[in-house]
Amino acid sequence: MSSSAVPPAAPLRALRPDWLSNPKVWRTEVLAGLVVALALIPEAISFSIIAGVDPAVGLFASFTMAVVISIVGGRRAMISAATGAVALVIAPLNREHGLGHLIAAVILAGVIQVALGVLGVAKLMRFIPRSVMVGFVNALAILIFMAQVPEMRNVPWAVYPLIIGGLALMVLFPRITTVIPAPLVSIVILTAITVGASIAVPTVGDKGELPSSLPVPGLPDVPFTLDTLTTIAPYAFAMALVGLMESLMTAKLVDDITDTHSNKTRESVGQGIANIVTGFFGGMGGCAMIGQTMINVKVSGARTRLSTFLAGAFLMVLCIAFGPVVSDIPMAALVAVMIMVSFATFDWHSVAPKTLKRMPAGEIGVMAITVATVVATHNLAIGVVLGSVTAMVVFAKRVAHLAEVTAVIDPDNTTVVYRVTGELFFASSNDLVGQFDYANDPEKVVIDLSAAHIWDASSVAALDAIESKYAQRGRSVEIIGLNDPSADLHGKLTGELTSH
């Protein structure tokens, strides 16, 4: 009787999460979630201000994003919440059309992300070059810093020493301990100083009221017309792309740290679902957060979905229970936090003189174009697309020069062998036709492609043109050495690419 009861129990234990059966894992995940929640509060508020919305909108977004993605996401222990990247994209829409259009754009962005996930867009991430990724990160850091400049203009003089003091605390406190996030310590101390000394400086409460209750679902306050759709669609599409890029980049980073694999397609769909839910609950949307994910995974050692879920849950508890205290946080403290985030986000190694000397000029150009485009347009998606296209052009130009043709004539002067080396595609094959001596070659011409590869129809058309030019002069051409894929493509297309 007992032996028959054992097998069903074993599968149940296998399905049980680690944190449910391991007290040590449970403790790690709970503490990690609490630390992340504490660190999320100032950043969620700061990103709300960047987007031009009440702090509650960013806090609601961080709560719903974290809770939903912990269930439907593809990367365990990754933190998703309101982010600077998303805030920068949707801020112009909020300024010009209001919160209702912003919420509608978040929901539409979620739908687009689900569609892109189903279509396998995650697989396209491997085509984004590293130089574009670096440019993306550096541009994001610059935009976050630029967003803080208005908060430092036309303000009481006390704001400036508070910002400097906040930066000093965030630099020095980690030398004492990393158990408590340095940004949180900085905010607590600066708030205590301003409240205790009654220093009159702008505070979070001046930006809007914090939530006193949980968010409730509802529809965005916009007319459901084609005009509304055309207004929000560009912003929604940009948000969808930026959110997926940052989320998939973060997921890849966590994969490397934890030496585990995550389902990027599920993550893409999960981000979309989380944004749809967030929009219906009145949040500003978001994506994965690199900084908070590093706190959760690298600093706190979290590895399961529980820490992500608790980060969102604890965040809302802290806001509802301690809302009046959070309202007294000086804006100078948040500016200091965002300046530090900007500084930490920027890849300083990428612009070091030693790195620039070794880096190919083309890759430096791609990185610079990505950064310049993003800073000029304030649109991360445009910068990434333009940077990727530039990288492709640079790559095509570089590879095109690698196709070489060398000729060897037999001693009896009856045969010439042309050996082609390199990759044959539209850029390199255009010059191929001009590298043969049609007028002076002997009767038999052999083109050896054993060291080459045919990639497209342009290359087949170039080989057909070469054969045609020799045929006009009564010479025969033999093509040898094709590998299987090249032979298959050549066999399908040769003779079919001209109109006569």
Side-chain angles (χ1 to χ4, degrees):
M1 188 75 174
S2 60
S3 60
S4 63
V6 173
L12 289 176
R13 284 196 298 270
L15 292 173
R16 187 183 300 172
D18 290 340
W19 55 264
L20 199 58
S21 55
N22 190 325
K24 184 177 180 181
V25 174
W26 168 270
R27 183 171 62 253
T28 299
E29 299 297 314
V30 171
L31 291 177
L34 179 59
V35 171
V36 171
L38 291 170
L40 270 175
I41 292 175
E43 292 200 8
I45 295 172
S46 298
F47 293 141
S48 300
I49 293 165
I50 290 175
V53 299
D54 286 343
V57 177
L59 291 166
F60 283 160
S62 295
F63 163 61
T64 54
M65 287 293 298
V67 169
V68 175
I69 205 66
S70 69
I71 300 169
V72 300
R75 173 66 259 177
R76 293 183 298 173
M78 190 167 77
I79 304 297
S80 290
T83 61
V86 169
L88 290 165
V89 169
I90 61 178
L93 178 63
N94 182 63
R95 281 197 306 268
E96 297 171 16
H97 300 280
L99 181 61
H101 282 73
L102 183 151
I103 300 301
V106 170
I107 296 172
L108 180 58
V111 173
I112 294 172
Q113 287 178 328
V114 171
L116 292 175
V118 172
L119 293 173
V121 71
K123 297 177 182 178
L124 298 178
M125 287 298 294
R126 66 180 184 271
F127 294 109
I128 299 180
R130 181 186 177 278
S131 52
V132 175
M133 292 286 195
V134 173
F136 169 87
V137 171
N138 289 347
L140 175 61
I142 293 171
L143 290 182
I144 290 174
F145 178 81
M146 290 173 61
Q148 308 313 306
V149 174
E151 300 296 335
M152 295 184 282
R153 291 176 178 167
N154 302 319
V155 293
W157 68 269
V159 167
Y160 303 109
L162 286 172
I163 293 175
I164 295 172
L167 291 171
L169 282 168
M170 284 183 281
V171 171
L172 300 175
F173 188 79
R175 299 181 183 181
I176 301 173
T177 179
T178 57
V179 174
I180 305 175
L184 184 66
V185 173
S186 174
I187 289 169
V188 169
I189 292 177
L190 293 185
T191 302
I193 291 173
T194 54
V195 172
S198 299
I199 301 175
V201 292
T203 64
V204 171
D206 297 332
K207 298 293 182 179
E209 294 184 6
L210 294 181
S212 58
S213 61
L214 290 173
V216 293
L219 295 175
D221 184 18
V222 294
F224 293 91
T225 62
L226 182 60
D227 183 59
T228 299
L229 180 61
T230 56
T231 299
I232 67 173
Y235 296 95
F237 188 69
M239 176 185 165
L241 289 181
V242 169
L244 281 185
M245 287 177 188
E246 190 155 341
S247 298
L248 294 174
M249 286 167 56
T250 306
K252 179 65 171 64
L253 183 61
V254 178
D255 287 352
D256 295 340
I257 292 173
T258 61
D259 197 23
T260 57
H261 176 73
S262 61
N263 188 329
K264 304 301 189 300
T265 297
R266 178 177 173 180
E267 185 61 41
S268 301
V269 174
Q271 290 289 331
I273 294 172
N275 273 305
I276 292 171
V277 173
T278 296
F280 282 119
F281 276 91
M284 60 179 274
C287 61
M289 299 187 74
I290 295 178
Q292 305 307 325
T293 298
M294 290 302 99
I295 292 174
N296 195 47
V297 175
K298 204 167 185 179
V299 177
S300 303
R303 292 294 184 271
T304 77
R305 298 177 185 274
L306 179 63
S307 58
T308 305
F309 177 86
L310 290 178
F314 284 149
L315 170 66
M316 198 77 324
V317 170
L318 290 169
C319 288
I320 294 173
F322 301 100
V325 177
V326 175
S327 296
D328 289 333
I329 295 175
M331 283 301 302
L334 300 184
V335 170
V337 170
M338 298 314 298
I339 291 175
M340 185 59 69
V341 169
S342 172
F343 185 85
T345 300
F346 196 91
D347 186 349
W348 297 100
H349 177 73
S350 66
V351 295
K354 187 177 180 180
T355 303
L356 295 176
K357 286 181 181 178
R358 296 180 177 180
M359 192 74 68
E363 297 203 19
I364 296 175
V366 169
M367 181 177 69
I369 288 172
T370 304
V371 172
T373 303
V374 172
V375 172
T377 64
H378 284 230
N379 192 314
L380 292 160
I382 293 176
V384 170
V385 171
L386 184 59
S388 297
V389 171
T390 304
M392 292 176 189
V393 173
V394 171
F395 173 76
K397 185 177 181 181
R398 185 184 305 164
V399 175
H401 292 296
L402 298 180
E404 298 180 352
V405 178
T406 55
V408 177
I409 300 178
D410 285 351
D412 57 4
N413 203 33
T414 60
T415 304
V416 59
V417 179
Y418 283 95
R419 181 175 176 81
V420 181
T421 303
E423 308 300 319
L424 301 182
F425 65 113
F426 62 90
S428 59
S429 60
N430 287 334
D431 297 330
L432 189 65
V433 179
Q435 299 191 48
F436 294 82
D437 190 357
Y438 303 102
N440 301 313
D441 279 343
E443 295 180 358
K444 185 176 182 180
V445 178
V446 178
I447 301 177
D448 182 5
L449 296 176
S450 57
H453 187 98
I454 298 176
W455 288 103
D456 59 8
S458 297
S459 302
V460 177
L463 292 172
D464 284 354
I466 293 168
E467 289 188 79
S468 178
K469 286 180 179 293
Y470 276 117
Q472 292 171 6
R473 293 168 174 78
R475 295 170 174 81
S476 63
V477 175
E478 180 184 5
I479 297 176
I480 64 172
L482 288 170
N483 57 38
D484 291 342
S486 298
D488 183 56
L489 182 63
H490 184 265
K492 288 179 180 178
L493 298 180
T494 184
E496 303 292 333
L497 300 173
T498 57
S499 59
H500 56 280

